[in-house]
Amino acid sequence: MDINIFNTLSSKKEVFTPLVKNKVGIYNCGPTVYDTVHIGNLRTFVMYDIIRRVFEYNEYFVTQVMNITDVDDKTIKRSQEKKISLEELTRHYETLFISDIHSLNILTPNKLLSARDHIKDMIEMISILLEKGIAYQTKDGIYFSIGLSKDYGKLAKLKIEATDTHTLRERISNDEYEKENPRDFALWKFYTEEDGQVFWDASFGKGRPGWHIECSAMAGRALGPTIDIHAGGTDLIFPHHTNEIAQSEATYDKHFVNYWIHGAFMNVNDAKMAKSKGNFYKLADLENEGISPLAFRYWLLTSHYRSQINFTIEAVKGAQTAFIRFIETFIRLQDISAGHEYEHVHKALEPRDYKKDFLEKVNDDFNTPEALALAWELIKDHTVEAKEKVILLMDFDKILGLGLHAVVNIQKEEIPTEVTVLAEAREKARENKDWEMADAIRKEITDRGYDVNDTDKGFTLKKRN
Ligand code: AMP
Ligand code: ZN
């Protein structure tokens, strides 16, 4: 079945065609490790995880690459404020990041790349750009000339006229700036005292890379000059991804990325959750509120990744109630399929193909809210046996990642078939009001070490301790 993806570049849904059959290379912009990630960042990392899982579910061989931004303006500044080395600071927050993603059942990317380990690749790219005359040197660094780049701003739909001399003359050395201000940007920043111990030698001068060239160099190194998918939050469309396209395409003269995927923000009171705004929560804050990481993941899956969501504790607590019901129902379905409980099934003449329906939802631009709703429809469907439901839900969880396999491990001991058969015969006797027979069968069940109890939905069976 086709996978349809909303591509930011074309602003429409497109059928995914891989560069190499049955393979997909995905580059994800990872965290800047100067602090603990917030739950807005985690929304984007869950989106990456869903994308990867959907491709794996479709039997693609996936190479998911994520970078760790462990050198940039923010990390250097924070390490100096804390009076610790850049290595110490970034290693600490990288460890916390890994721990957070594991709590959320986010699969570890196949390649986690440190920017500091790829400085050579960045220097190589900058050298090529200098040679081609697309990059130029100033007093404080090496800059990329956006006026010489083909289609600069196509991803962010910027309109820059060749006559726009104001824009084309100005430069910006900061890593982050506004869409209203496209400028020549820094590829390499020459060493200043503020950089302390952080510098590398290059033929064009001692210094450190700009943020944007880091991802271009790592993506090229790990996946080649043209890659299938590149993803990030919408805040990265400009300038980060716009500049990545400019650098990579100017260096290699090849189309950089076939499908651009951008996830919408998590807001708080309609403002973007951001560290700089101080309006953020961390995963640990949620746990202090009694919210489990997987309940938070469940909440995220109830919205489409391209819709902005507004975070409130109450909203996530509501999702947690639904999540608990989901897990409890799953446990109960296992009980029923193990013969612990009586099951009434009215098999349909034409059974619904839930697996196909599920695949349709997730392959339609990763529609998790509809996939989750389908899982609930399956749970409530009286025409499907509990055993079948358990198998299907376990299968769906390969994408949803709600931890059902962990619940299976605590599955109760199977009830022997003959005991279930006896309990069913007793149920029939009771329906026929043959109390003598029902009591005789109960004794038989008890003698075999099991207790049978009657409920308004039928019987339950339990092994006596
Ligand atoms: P950063 O550590 O700031 O580089 O961000 C890591 C990832 O989180 C990037 O892909 C950002 O686009 C994303 N991100 C940052 N803030 C939010 C937010 N409030 N909601 C969703 N994603 C975000
Ligand atoms: Zn990036």
Side-chain angles (χ1 to χ4, degrees):
M1 194 187 287
D2 287 341
I3 300 178
N4 291 284
I5 298 179
F6 185 91
N7 190 348
T8 313
L9 200 56
S10 62
S11 302
K12 56 176 198 273
K13 264 191 216 172
E14 294 175 20
V15 174
F16 176 75
T17 312
L19 288 164
V20 180
K21 199 166 175 260
N22 298 328
K23 286 190 178 176
V24 60
I26 307 174
Y27 187 87
N28 296 144
C29 285
T32 308
V33 280
Y34 72 111
D35 203 337
T36 316
V37 293
H38 61 64
I39 57 172
N41 300 130
L42 289 169
R43 177 185 194 196
T44 297
F45 300 133
V46 167
M47 170 190 84
Y48 297 159
D49 186 54
I50 294 291
I51 296 171
R52 173 219 177 125
R53 286 170 181 262
V54 167
F55 277 98
E56 284 177 348
Y57 193 82
N58 281 273
E59 293 174 1
Y60 273 82
F61 182 82
V62 180
T63 308
Q64 185 197 12
V65 180
M66 189 189 286
N67 69 291
I68 300 287
T69 305
D70 54 9
V71 51
D72 79 325
D73 296 348
K74 290 193 267 197
T75 44
I76 293 174
K77 189 160 169 264
R78 183 62 56 89
S79 72
Q80 285 168 354
E81 282 164 6
K82 292 201 162 200
K83 298 192 173 31
I84 55 175
S85 71
L86 186 64
E87 286 76 10
E88 196 182 334
L89 177 93
T90 56
R91 215 165 282 145
H92 173 71
Y93 288 116
E94 184 179 343
T95 309
L96 294 184
F97 165 70
I98 305 279
S99 150
D100 274 0
I101 65 170
H102 285 170
S103 307
L104 283 170
N105 270 353
I106 293 174
L107 302 171
T108 313
N110 308 104
K111 292 183 187 181
L112 260 181
L113 306 181
S114 140
R116 284 203 308 269
D117 287 347
H118 291 79
I119 304 288
K120 231 179 99 203
D121 294 318
M122 298 166 205
I123 292 176
E124 212 172 283
M125 273 187 95
I126 298 168
S127 304
I128 295 173
L129 291 169
L130 277 168
E131 246 166 62
K132 289 188 166 185
I134 296 165
Y136 60 92
Q137 186 163 341
T138 67
K139 242 184 20 265
D140 63 340
I142 310 286
Y143 283 81
F144 185 94
S145 176
I146 63 170
L148 297 178
S149 152
K150 252 195 267 154
D151 297 330
Y152 182 82
K154 62 185 169 187
L155 185 72
K157 318 283 182 288
L158 300 183
K159 285 204 170 61
I160 301 169
E161 306 294 335
T163 50
D164 188 356
T165 47
H166 173 67
T167 295
L168 299 180
R169 236 187 11 234
E170 301 217 349
R171 281 189 295 278
I172 177 108
S173 68
N174 293 349
D175 286 333
E176 292 177 74
Y177 50 99
E178 297 299 315
K179 192 170 166 180
E180 291 65 39
N181 271 322
R183 295 287 183 269
D184 285 359
F185 57 91
L187 297 166
W188 189 256
K189 307 180 189 195
F190 289 148
Y191 181 75
T192 66
E193 271 179 18
E194 282 170 16
D195 291 336
Q197 299 302 309
V198 184
F199 61 85
W200 287 267
D201 287 319
S203 58
F204 39 77
K206 168 175 156 178
R208 64 179 172 96
W211 171 39
H212 315 297
I213 194 73
E214 295 183 3
C215 281
S216 276
M218 286 184 273
R221 163 64 58 198
L223 297 165
T226 302
I227 64 183
D228 290 302
I229 294 175
H230 196 317
T234 47
D235 57 330
L236 300 188
I237 297 175
F238 186 87
H240 188 51
H241 290 163
T242 294
N243 292 350
E244 275 190 51
I245 295 174
Q247 300 158 148
S248 296
E249 297 193 348
T251 306
Y252 303 118
D253 293 313
K254 294 225 164 81
H255 179 68
F256 178 38
V257 171
N258 285 341
Y259 300 85
W260 282 96
I261 304 179
H262 290 99
F265 287 157
M266 177 183 295
N267 295 330
V268 186
N269 296 326
D270 297 318
K272 181 197 166 194
M273 180 179 289
K275 279 172 207 153
S276 56
K277 291 201 170 103
N279 62 351
F280 62 90
Y281 277 80
K282 297 174 178 175
L283 205 55
D285 297 327
L286 294 190
E287 290 180 83
N288 288 338
E289 294 277 352
I291 296 167
S292 81
L294 289 186
F296 172 65
R297 180 177 174 112
Y298 182 97
W299 178 62
L300 293 177
L301 300 187
T302 60
S303 297
H304 191 265
Y305 76 90
R306 280 191 291 115
S307 308
Q308 292 198 12
I309 49 174
N310 201 44
F311 169 80
T312 61
I313 289 281
E314 294 70 38
V316 189
K317 280 197 170 159
Q320 173 149 284
T321 307
F323 174 63
I324 292 170
R325 210 152 25 92
F326 187 76
I327 297 294
E328 282 176 352
T329 312
F330 180 72
I331 293 171
R332 175 123 197 278
L333 287 169
Q334 285 184 81
D335 274 358
I336 297 171
S337 52
H340 290 262
E341 286 189 40
Y342 189 61
E343 187 180 17
H344 263 302
V345 182
H346 306 283
K347 286 218 166 166
L349 281 177
E350 275 182 56
R352 183 170 173 187
D353 190 344
Y354 276 99
K355 186 157 166 105
K356 182 168 154 279
D357 288 357
F358 184 78
L359 197 60
E360 257 168 30
K361 307 280 184 206
V362 293
N363 282 7
D364 179 17
D365 198 27
F366 316 102
N367 199 329
T368 56
E370 288 196 8
L372 206 52
L374 184 84
W376 275 110
E377 280 174 41
L378 167 68
I379 284 171
K380 291 175 185 161
D381 188 339
H382 294 300
T383 67
V384 183
E385 278 181 11
K387 211 170 231 162
E388 183 64 17
K389 288 182 184 174
V390 170
I391 292 169
L392 281 166
L393 289 170
M394 288 288 292
D395 183 62
F396 296 173
D397 206 44
K398 288 180 192 157
I399 290 178
L400 303 175
L402 295 170
L404 294 187
H405 62 281
V407 182
V408 172
N409 291 339
I410 57 162
Q411 190 179 20
K412 289 178 201 150
E413 194 190 333
E414 285 257 348
I415 305 275
T417 318
E418 68 275 13
V419 175
T420 313
V421 169
L422 280 171
E424 278 167 0
R426 180 175 166 273
E427 188 73 17
K428 282 239 165 61
R430 278 165 52 81
E431 277 168 21
N432 296 333
K433 300 202 172 8
D434 186 348
W435 309 118
E436 209 173 306
M437 171 72 95
D439 282 348
I441 301 177
R442 175 195 282 279
K443 187 170 178 306
E444 186 66 36
I445 295 171
T446 320
D447 288 349
R448 288 172 193 241
Y450 291 85
D451 283 332
V452 59
N453 283 309
D454 300 312
T455 71
D456 49 357
K457 285 192 185 132
F459 64 80
T460 64
L461 277 172
K462 234 201 259 148
K463 192 173 171 115
R464 211 169 323 114
N465 293 323

